[in-house]
Amino acid sequence: AQTVTQSQPEMSVQEAETVTLSCTYDTSESDYYLFWYKQPPSRQMILVIRQEAYKQQNATENRFSVNFQKAAKSFSLKISDSQLGDAAMYFCAYRSAVGSEKLVFGKGTKLTVNP
Amino acid sequence: NAGVTQTPKFRILKIGQSMTLQCTQDMNHNYMYWYRQDPGMGLKLIYYSVGAGITDKGEVPNGYNVSRSTTEDFPLRLELAAPSQTSVYFCASSYDRGRYEQYFGPGTRLTVT
């Protein structure tokens, strides 16, 4: 079974600075998808960024980018120019390309942005 | 589009009571999911559906039932509520499997006492 590990329960960053959230996963599959979801205090889960395992190029969405290391099974999220609105729980998630429909989530990292 | 809507937002149940959590999506998505989120944990899949009339168990299905009679609706039934079912419940939908984004509802906070 696949597992997702987020080793940083909490992180903090100063406004306008850069922070990196870590995620590692365990799988025997070669084709899969990885996601970062944001959960603000409102509880609404919002997709931040996704990565297809077959793509070597790291995904980027505005201030958010990932460092995808397939051999190391690592999928970190970098937030540049942090804003107060980035404060939230961030969840890393794995989804198989075939078979199981489920998203496998890590336990999350709570990000605090200090003004 | 309203996206994915869930009712109620909050509910307190007594042990042994039953209830149905409602979920509706207006995006014409075939895939729908129910997750639960326990404190300090990520979400775990309870049940999912790949289309009207088709449902399947996820990771933690015990104590729950689902049905999918229409594309839009995917209710979750709790029978004989237990304290272990105290959690936040999220419904989600997606256009297809794989790379497609799952859109989440706002969640239902359920307490069983």
Side-chain angles (χ1 to χ4, degrees), chain B:
Chain B
N1 286 350
V4 179
T5 57
Q6 292 181 237
T7 56
K9 285 188 169 50
F10 304 93
R11 184 72 185 268
I12 299 174
L13 279 182
K14 293 189 186 303
I15 294 171
Q17 288 185 323
S18 300
M19 76 163 295
T20 299
L21 280 66
Q22 301 292 345
C23 174
T24 300
Q25 53 91 10
D26 63 359
M27 297 174 281
N28 201 33
H29 287 168
N30 284 322
Y31 290 72
M32 295 189 74
Y33 313 84
W34 275 106
Y35 293 90
R36 61 177 285 172
Q37 183 180 28
D38 298 328
M41 303 292 287
L43 281 66
K44 292 190 175 180
L45 184 67
I46 305 171
Y47 271 96
Y48 67 95
S49 170
V50 301
I54 307 170
T55 63
D56 207 348
K57 295 178 181 178
E59 195 176 354
V60 289
N62 291 345
Y64 308 94
N65 276 301
V66 294
S67 59
R68 183 97 181 270
S69 57
T70 67
T71 299
E72 295 79 18
D73 301 309
F74 190 41
L76 177 72
R77 178 81 177 163
L78 277 72
E79 305 282 0
L80 299 174
S84 61
Q85 293 178 305
T86 294
S87 191
V88 180
Y89 292 84
F90 289 95
C91 179
S93 73
S94 66
Y95 172 72
D96 204 334
R97 62 193 302 171
R99 70 177 298 277
Y100 288 91
E101 175 182 359
Q102 291 189 14
Y103 293 83
F104 285 81
T108 295
R109 182 178 295 278
L110 176 67
T111 302
V112 182
T113 62

Side-chain angles (χ1 to χ4, degrees), chain A residues 39 43-44 50 52 95 99, chain B residues 33 37 97 99 104 107:
Chain A
Q39 186 180 42
R43 288 204 313 246
Q44 186 86 40
R50 87 189 89 196
E52 290 89 341
R95 191 178 193 182
Chain B
Y33 313 84
Q37 183 180 28
R97 62 193 302 171
R99 70 177 298 277
F104 285 81

